[in-house]
Amino acid sequence: MMRTRPLKVALLGCGVVGSEVARIMTTHADDLAARIGAPVELAGVAVRRPSKVREGIDPALVTTDATALVKRGDIDVVVEVIGGIEPARTLITTAFEYGASVVSANKALLAQDGAALHAVANEHGEDLYYEAAVAGAIPLIRPLRESLAGDKINRVMGIVNGTTNFILDKMDSTGAGYQEALDEATALGYAEADPTADVEGFDAAAKAAILAGIAFHTRVRLDDVYREGMAEVTASDFASAKAMGCTIKLLAICERAADGGSVTARVHPAMIPLTHPLASVRGAYNAVFVESDASGQLMFYGPGAGGAPTASAVLGDLVAVCRNRLSGATGPGESAYAALPVSPMGDVVTRYHISLDVADKPGVLAQVATVFAEHGVSIDTVRQQGKDGEASLVVVTHRASDASLTGTVEALRKLDTVRGVASIMRVEGE
């Protein structure tokens, strides 16, 4: 039997995502009520510019006083889509204190202060859901913390930023340079006027922190995630990748150490074999590849951003939270019982592709090979091309630690026969 008294929802933010949340709540009201077991009512919308016309939203619901809205005391669920650290953090904790559960899409805040927010939610017996914070419409957080709760996850690797994937895909498919591809992404609306958060990996790093925490039952903060941007990726790198049967993606990689005693989380460009499922992810799409003991390999794929896709994830959380509220229960909270240490990047073991500019004369390859051997880095393949006294030497290693590779490169730079290190890129997805 359906409850007639509606569950009241406060919406913080009414931009691209917030406006879609409001639209879907209105147009799908009957379906949502049937799925939840009670109607849901948009009780207020907090915005910065109240004079802006918002189609489909009663102007009487609009307010600039977000604090007063979350303190009303009759709000059941607060949906936070304003982003940033403050005032979002204070508004969310206030919502918990005044008896409301929270649905958020705020990856930056959750990556930085997720543990503290979960603690406040738990203290007040409220829910904190955030499916939309990581991969837009793609169901990912709920499968990791619920569907795979009985499994042991060893690795989560994925493309979690549509802007960067669009740029790299354009460079790969057309031969465009980085700036040219970025300009096209900006013109099409895939990249912000200031693309730093995307192309420097900040956005993906926040998502990696959230994913690692859930996958490994360990608190992983944004500061724990190694981050490397993609602005230095060149057309030559793509040519080298193609010669190896690879392409290049900006990957978020969270993995458990082989001995199970620690975890790592990192974001950086990497070559990935064309045979790997992530290699075929094109345009602005996202995909996440999960490896676990019992389930084996799983891949989640779909649009990772945009108003409607992200709103879909928000509404999915809203339905779950409202159901919990009707039953007097709460859903899964933070699971950090494993408390595994987060290892530094220097401990990460992977393959490397190194391109060197060297003198084209006898003995150079032997000198280079000796340096690799002295630092315990085994060489898989070598390719050399020379002309007019200069040569390009491409070395692909077997698996080696980041620290040992760093020492190798420093020693290579000291050789008189090495003119420079043109590029270094990790090779993932074997």
Side-chain angles (χ1 to χ4, degrees):
M1 182 176 179
M2 183 177 294
R3 192 182 81 166
T4 56
R5 185 175 70 80
L7 292 160
K8 294 188 177 183
V9 178
L11 179 61
L12 309 183
C14 198
V16 173
V17 175
S19 60
E20 282 295 313
V21 170
R23 181 188 67 79
I24 296 172
M25 284 185 64
T26 301
T27 59
H28 295 183
D30 291 342
D31 286 339
L32 290 172
R35 294 167 191 169
I36 292 168
V40 287
E41 172 190 315
L42 188 59
V45 182
V47 300
R48 286 183 296 178
R49 295 185 294 276
S51 59
K52 180 180 178 180
V53 176
R54 294 173 173 85
E55 186 177 348
I57 296 178
D58 183 353
L61 296 178
V62 177
T63 178
T64 58
D65 193 343
T67 301
L69 179 59
V70 299
K71 283 184 174 182
R72 274 179 36 172
D74 64 338
I75 299 298
D76 293 287
V77 184
V78 169
V79 174
E80 183 271 311
V81 288
I82 56 179
I85 305 302
E86 288 292 358
R89 174 170 50 198
T90 299
L91 290 170
I92 288 174
T93 55
T94 302
F96 293 141
E97 291 163 0
Y98 279 78
S101 289
V102 173
V103 172
S104 176
N106 195 331
K107 54 188 170 288
L109 177 58
L110 289 159
Q112 178 173 303
D113 290 322
L117 293 177
H118 272 295
V120 179
N122 183 63
E123 177 186 351
H124 294 280
E126 303 295 344
D127 274 325
L128 173 61
Y129 276 50
Y130 42 90
E131 184 68 65
V134 173
I138 305 172
L140 185 58
I141 289 178
R142 192 171 288 113
L144 287 178
R145 73 177 183 177
E146 296 181 32
S147 303
L148 296 175
D151 206 343
K152 178 184 177 184
I153 297 173
N154 297 310
R155 197 173 204 229
V156 179
M157 178 171 74
I159 299 161
V160 295
N161 183 278
T163 299
T164 57
N165 200 56
F166 177 89
I167 293 170
L168 292 173
D169 182 40
K170 186 62 62 174
M171 293 175 70
D172 185 28
S173 60
T174 69
Y178 168 77
Q179 190 60 50
E180 181 183 354
L182 173 58
D183 290 344
E184 182 173 351
T186 303
L188 293 172
Y190 291 124
E192 302 285 348
D194 180 0
T196 302
D198 294 324
V199 300
E200 292 300 327
F202 290 101
D203 175 85
K207 296 170 181 177
I210 295 170
L211 290 175
I214 295 170
F216 306 131
H217 305 280
T218 292
R219 287 179 178 171
V220 179
R221 299 181 75 253
L222 182 58
D223 292 345
D224 295 321
V225 182
Y226 172 84
R227 178 193 54 78
E228 186 179 316
M230 50 172 270
E232 302 302 317
V233 177
T234 66
S236 295
D237 291 326
F238 273 101
S240 294
K242 287 181 179 180
M244 292 178 58
C246 294
T247 188
I248 298 172
K249 299 291 186 181
L250 185 76
L251 298 177
I253 303 171
C254 313
E255 56 190 351
R256 189 188 301 268
D259 64 4
S262 64
V263 299
T264 58
R266 51 197 166 101
V267 170
H268 53 72
M271 293 183 180
I272 188 168
L274 294 175
T275 53
H276 194 283
L278 290 176
S280 62
V281 179
R282 312 300 297 269
Y285 274 70
N286 284 189
V288 177
F289 199 73
V290 178
E291 300 175 34
S292 66
D293 276 2
S295 302
Q297 298 177 331
L298 306 169
M299 191 167 92
F300 301 84
Y301 169 85
T310 306
S312 171
V314 170
L315 267 295
D317 278 351
L318 179 63
V319 168
V321 169
C322 287
R323 286 172 175 169
N324 291 343
R325 204 160 184 87
L326 289 179
S327 66
T330 54
E334 183 192 30
S335 176
Y337 73 89
L340 296 171
V342 182
S343 296
M345 188 62 187
D347 293 346
V348 171
V349 175
T350 189
R351 297 176 67 206
Y352 290 87
H353 176 283
I354 305 103
S355 180
L356 305 171
D357 295 325
V358 300
D360 186 17
K361 63 182 184 181
V364 173
L365 179 55
Q367 286 183 325
V368 169
T370 297
V371 170
F372 276 88
E374 288 174 347
H375 288 80
V377 179
S378 176
I379 294 175
D380 183 17
T381 61
V382 177
R383 187 174 71 253
Q384 183 173 357
Q385 292 179 322
K387 184 178 180 181
D388 299 329
E390 298 296 327
S392 174
L393 187 65
V394 174
V395 178
V396 179
T397 75
H398 287 291
R399 293 177 65 82
S401 71
D402 188 82
S404 63
L405 197 282
T406 298
T408 302
V409 172
E410 290 175 354
L412 288 171
R413 294 183 193 277
K414 297 176 181 178
L415 294 178
D416 293 338
T417 51
V418 174
R419 309 296 192 222
V421 179
S423 68
I424 305 171
M425 191 166 295
R426 297 167 184 88
V427 182
E428 301 284 350
E430 299 174 82

